Amino acid sequence: MVHWSPFVVSFKKRYPWVQLAGHAGNFQAGEFGRLLKRYCECEQQCLQKLMKDTLRPHVPGYYGVVQRDEQDYNLMDDLLADFDSPSIMDCKMGSRTYLEEELLKARERPRLRKDMYDKMVAVDPGAPTEQERAQQGVLKPRYMQWRETLSSTATLGFRIEGIKKADGTCNTNFKKTKHREQVMQALEDFVGGNTQILKLYLQRLEELRSVLEQSNFFRTHEVVGSSLLFVHDASGKARVWMIDFGKTVPLPTPRTLDHRTPWVEGNREDGYLWGLDNLIDIFSSMLPQ
Ligand code: ATP
Ligand code: MG
Ligand code: MG
């Protein structure tokens, strides 16, 4: 005789949580498939507004501020909770990863930075100008702008920050992954050549794009340093969420952005949708025609 229990209680499996970017101490495990991220007011404001926006299904659910060991955290959904040994990719969106206000700040009290010059030379000995070479130093704004040209941020409007695959291999060394072919190679490796997963991701990205184009939140914010988190597993599930709103700031009303117009200082455009267009184009071109 089959004995049916009156209800089913499913216990979430325990699994090692994976973090692909940011400082290691910024996250804590929460209960009920939730996650604590070190408090940032800017992010709190964004997540709060996002819970009332059309983008809500495309960001982690947000549950307010909690305290643990005298530290404040934003409590949000753990996006990995419903996956088994997930493969994960963090793609940082936009054609620049600093805010206009950070650039202004970097210009206050201009100082020649020897440390930044050294970092520059270490990556590309040909990068400094003749003058910079003579001074053995660079100004911080110049360094910030140069750094964006190393990866695909400046040329494609997004860059891969990290990839962790189901087999446990993890790569966060994409700082110089710049060209379309290199990006394609990394994506191909991420999906393990699985066309079905690719197709699903493409659908998710197209859907997200159309929601972004309608979103009031998106229209009225400069979205910088935010990522798309890609997650899939062997069951064939594949999803994409927007995460990391620590540098997403409201524009003074009634200003809006289209997120595609090239950035010139003062227009605050972030290239987010331009980057998404490119990402969608790359995913499409990887599928058999
Ligand atoms: P940075 O600003 O340097 O990118 P950060 O401290 O703002 O880092 P996030 O970018 O928000 O942190 O997250 C870092 C990593 O943690 C992500 O790449 C992802 O792997 C993981 N992560 C973040 N939020 C979630 C979430 N809600 N669910 C699952 N994983 C997450
Ligand atoms: Mg991030
Ligand atoms: Mg961040």
Side-chain angles (χ1 to χ4, degrees), residues 143-158:
Y143 177 78
M144 286 162 71
Q145 285 171 305
W146 166 78
R147 215 173 31 185
E148 308 285 50
T149 67
L150 291 181
S151 69
S152 53
T153 289
T155 47
L156 292 173
F158 69 88

Side-chain angles (χ1 to χ4, degrees), residues 46-47 50-51 55-62 77 79 208 239-243 245:
C46 287
L47 286 166
L50 282 163
M51 289 303 99
L55 278 172
R56 180 175 180 149
H58 303 275
V59 302
Y62 177 62
D77 279 328
L79 302 169
L208 174 63
R239 291 204 54 181
V240 179
W241 286 273
M242 295 172 76
I243 61 163
F245 303 101

Side-chain angles (χ1 to χ4, degrees), residues 21 90 92 225 227 244:
D90 180 309
K92 197 164 267 199
S227 285
D244 197 358

Side-chain angles (χ1 to χ4, degrees), residues 160 174 176-187:
I160 300 173
F174 293 103
K176 293 212 260 176
T177 302
K178 174 171 182 163
H179 300 291
R180 193 182 161 101
E181 294 67 33
Q182 296 172 300
V183 171
M184 264 166 101
Q185 193 62 57
L187 295 178

